[in-house]
Amino acid sequence: MHELAICQALMNQVEGIAAERNARSVISIVVGMGPLSGVEAQLLKHAYPVASAGTVAEGAELVIENLPVRIKCSQCGEESEVRPNKLVCKTCGDWRTTVISGDELLLMSVELEKASTNQTGGNGSATTLH
């Protein structure tokens, strides 16, 4: 299951962001995923608790946003949103198209809980990075 390896790479990226920002923990992670990415959302969600265990993101919510498939026609130049199994131009009907989105897996945002700078033991603050 390559989703575990993907989650582990995601955790490396999130831990780097959290360390750069001196965060105490991660509250949520938003990932954008296209249907042509080759990643199964359910398998990614199942692998996430294993990959995040013992990291700053342990217990954080993983949100997966579905991204549309967009193509550009090499004949008429138009861009259109299409179904993953029908990559033909909606304007002219030509099949010679290029996928311009829908095959990606993107880290879209991370919500961090920052360590408190208050010496009296305050709760810290949340920051969302896009």
Side-chain angles (χ1 to χ4, degrees):
M1 159 166 95
H2 76 289
E3 282 77 2
L4 180 58
I6 291 168
C7 272
Q8 289 168 330
L10 178 65
M11 288 303 96
N12 288 338
Q13 190 175 7
V14 168
E15 284 193 304
I17 292 168
E20 284 175 6
R21 309 264 183 329
N22 195 29
R24 177 177 21 188
S25 64
V26 176
I27 298 167
S28 68
I29 300 167
V30 179
V31 175
M33 183 185 320
L36 302 177
S37 67
V39 179
E40 292 289 330
Q42 279 305 110
L43 293 177
L44 191 68
K45 279 207 173 257
H46 282 37
Y48 175 72
V50 174
S52 65
T55 71
V56 70
E58 185 171 7
E61 177 185 18
L62 176 64
V63 178
I64 299 174
E65 292 184 2
N66 295 315
L67 302 175
V69 176
R70 293 196 51 80
I71 59 167
K72 181 171 182 164
C73 181
S74 62
Q75 296 306 298
C76 71
E78 291 295 315
E79 293 183 10
S80 52
E81 192 172 308
V82 296
R83 295 192 319 244
N85 62 346
K86 191 170 184 181
L87 305 177
V88 297
C89 179
K90 283 191 170 182
T91 303
C92 72
D94 199 89
W95 57 270
R96 290 168 285 197
T97 60
T98 302
V99 174
I100 55 175
S101 70
D103 59 350
E104 65 273 85
L105 177 66
L106 302 171
L107 175 57
M108 297 179 73
S109 69
V110 179
E111 185 176 1
L112 303 172
E113 183 175 0
K114 290 196 139 197
S116 177
T117 56
N118 183 349
Q119 295 294 332
T120 61
N123 286 339
S125 62
T127 303
T128 303
L129 304 170
H130 295 279

